[in-house]
Amino acid sequence: MFRAVTSASAALGPQAAGWVRTMASHQLLVAPPEVLLKPLSVPNRLLLGPGPSNVAPRVLAAGGLQMIGHMHKEMYQIMDEIKQGIQYLFQTRNRLTLAISGSGHAALEAALMSVLEPGDSFLVGVNGLWGQRAAEIGERVGARTHPMIKDPGGYYTLKEVEEGLAKHKPVLLFLTQGESTSGILQPLEGYGELCHRYQCLFLVDTVASLGGIPIHMDQQGIDILYSGAQKVLNAPPGTALISFSDKARNKIYSRKTKPFSFYLDIKLLGNFWGCDDEPRMYHHTTPVLGLYSLRESLALVAEEGLENCWRRHRETTAYLQGRLQELGLQLFVKDPALRLPTVTTVAVPAGYDWRDIVNYLIDHFSIEITGGLGPSIGKVLRIGLLGHNATRENVDRVTEALKEALQRCPRNKL
């Protein structure tokens, strides 16, 4: 064996000889995992939680197409088509519009890290987990963060927002249009105009609402808007949509300090996505197959039409809420006008452990619903009707499953 290694070393040269000696002198300590020598197995489930949602067949097929380079001209064309699709969904003409390589949370971080500088005043509506996250990121950036805290199910009036703007003089206000942890819908009309009166930028989270309820970014005076691909768009998690008004763009481009994140620096990303007049420069390797899927999910909404998509979600969710009330369940958001058309929340019925109900639906019907999250945990059950999952047939399936779960799950008799 030693002679064979020596002969191989002499024949291959010094660099290769070192490689051969390493091969000969080290044994593998870790065997191939047995689980990876078996076929991948994934259950077939109806995902009726707040997301991710079942991937639409056409979107799934797009993700199975052959890879191309992330800087090929054909890929740039796909990226340009995605930008146009985002502009349509957001109803904006903003040039600085693009997709982020990451979930909706990455878009939130990109917005805050690119706009906020240390010492900036930041006003945050905290009525659920996503406001909590925004406030946490603002603090990490070094902004003077001012949370407006409400219990789950609360929303912000124009008067309350104006009081916060007058008191804290923020450069940025954050509100969540669709707070998926509680099912509350935040009104937006007049809030952008109010922010601009106080020289404040307006940032809105639409991860759980985009495509299910009207949004008009330009007409509503929203300066920064973002969403995710895995909700109503029925695409795989991993890409997010974001757009910036000229006011927000000017704030980013006139920063005195560099953003803490290179990966989420919107100025650099905007160049890579062709949002300025400069040649596109490499920034990072984008999820090419994920962008194929995102492009097709945007195409599906464009083909259905935004207004038709909004109407379908509103009507199907109204049907769901009626069926839930027939079962004796109490809707968590009392005012029908403030109920999110994509994620419906019901109060956990008295005597039940919410985990028993969620597990029963998974185990017996292969249907996913979820409990609360963050400040709403233990208080609600959440049922999502997202994208092509928003059908009366799915409503009937989940409510029949819930009816059985309420009959079979144990109850605390105390």
Side-chain angles (χ1 to χ4, degrees):
M1 177 64 184
F2 178 75
R3 288 180 180 176
V5 171
T6 303
S7 300
S9 299
L12 294 172
Q15 185 175 5
W19 177 75
V20 170
R21 283 194 297 273
T22 300
M23 287 276 291
S25 60
H26 294 283
Q27 294 182 339
L28 296 179
L29 298 180
V30 180
E34 289 291 333
V35 293
L36 294 184
L37 303 180
K38 301 175 182 178
L40 175 65
S41 177
V42 178
N44 184 12
R45 288 180 176 151
L46 176 59
L47 302 181
L48 296 183
S53 56
N54 294 101
V55 177
R58 178 169 152 188
V59 176
L60 194 63
L65 296 175
Q66 186 53 266
M67 182 78 67
I68 61 174
H70 60 290
M71 297 182 72
H72 290 183
K73 63 180 181 180
E74 295 85 357
M75 195 64 225
Y76 286 156
Q77 175 62 34
I78 292 170
M79 292 164 71
D80 288 343
E81 292 170 7
I82 289 171
K83 286 164 55 179
Q84 293 177 49
I86 297 171
Q87 288 171 326
Y88 172 63
L89 258 69
F90 286 5
Q91 285 297 289
T92 183
R93 294 189 175 92
N94 292 335
R95 189 176 182 188
L96 187 52
T97 299
L98 60 138
I100 300 284
S101 301
S103 67
H105 198 295
L108 168 60
E109 296 218 14
L112 295 181
M113 289 191 179
S114 293
V115 171
L116 291 175
E117 295 190 77
D120 281 347
S121 180
F122 177 36
L123 186 62
V124 189
V126 181
N127 60 342
L129 181 65
W130 310 120
Q132 289 180 346
R133 294 280 180 91
E136 168 76 10
I137 298 164
E139 291 172 357
R140 292 185 180 212
V141 169
R144 292 180 289 113
T145 303
H146 308 287
M148 300 183 292
I149 299 176
K150 284 185 177 285
D151 291 334
Y155 74 101
Y156 300 91
T157 65
L158 283 166
K159 180 181 179 182
E160 291 169 334
V161 168
E162 183 165 17
E163 288 172 354
L165 293 171
K167 179 179 180 180
H168 300 294
K169 298 178 174 55
V171 301
L172 183 67
L173 166 69
F174 171 90
L175 293 178
T176 306
Q177 184 190 34
E179 179 47 75
S180 61
T181 59
S182 65
I184 192 73
L185 173 65
Q186 170 65 47
L188 296 178
E189 290 298 332
Y191 291 78
E193 179 184 354
L194 179 62
C195 284
H196 297 161
R197 198 184 310 156
Y198 284 85
Q199 288 74 55
C200 175
L201 298 173
F202 186 28
L203 164 62
V204 177
D205 175 318
T206 64
V207 172
S209 56
L210 183 73
I213 190 165
I215 189 81
H216 300 273
M217 183 176 185
D218 290 357
Q219 295 177 63
Q220 292 174 314
I222 300 169
D223 293 293
I224 309 167
L225 191 68
Y226 71 89
S227 192
Q230 76 276 17
K231 307 280 187 174
V232 171
L233 291 180
N234 299 131
T239 56
L241 302 65
I242 196 164
S243 182
F244 298 81
S245 71
D246 288 343
K247 289 187 179 72
R249 182 185 182 279
N250 292 339
K251 176 71 167 69
I252 292 169
Y253 278 65
S254 62
R255 292 178 61 102
K256 298 183 179 72
T257 60
K258 289 185 177 181
F260 291 111
S261 174
F262 184 94
Y263 188 74
L264 297 175
D265 185 332
I266 287 297
K267 188 174 181 180
L268 300 177
L269 289 171
N271 168 264
F272 186 54
W273 275 81
C275 300
D276 57 25
D277 294 321
E278 302 298 323
R280 298 194 197 206
M281 302 295 291
Y282 168 77
H283 181 262
H284 72 280
T285 303
T286 53
V288 171
L289 302 185
L291 292 179
Y292 294 173
S293 298
L294 177 59
R295 190 268 182 202
E296 285 304 284
S297 69
L298 293 167
L300 286 173
V301 176
E303 289 172 7
E304 180 179 8
L306 263 178
E307 293 177 321
N308 292 330
C309 195
W310 296 335
R311 183 182 306 110
R312 177 167 55 84
H313 281 83
R314 182 179 67 250
E315 293 174 352
T316 309
T317 296
Y319 178 59
L320 168 67
Q321 292 169 356
R323 290 294 307 270
L324 292 171
Q325 290 174 311
E326 289 173 5
L327 295 178
L329 295 170
Q330 300 296 315
L331 297 176
F332 186 71
V333 179
K334 302 306 180 186
D335 187 344
L338 298 174
R339 293 174 187 157
L340 187 57
T342 51
V343 180
T344 295
T345 49
V346 295
V348 176
Y352 288 93
D353 186 323
W354 66 269
R355 288 172 287 251
D356 291 338
I357 298 173
V358 168
N359 291 336
Y360 192 92
L361 264 63
I362 282 280
D363 294 340
H364 292 82
F365 293 93
S366 203
I367 296 175
E368 181 204 46
I369 66 171
T370 66
L373 190 62
S376 69
I377 193 166
K379 298 179 180 179
V380 300
L381 295 170
R382 299 184 294 159
I383 304 170
L385 293 176
L386 304 171
H388 74 145
N389 280 354
T391 66
R392 290 173 70 95
E393 177 186 4
N394 284 340
V395 169
D396 292 337
R397 286 181 62 183
V398 72
T399 51
E400 287 302 312
L402 275 169
K403 181 179 180 180
E404 182 175 315
L406 294 173
Q407 294 170 346
R408 300 287 181 85
C409 287
R411 296 186 65 179
N412 181 355
K413 296 182 180 179
L414 296 179

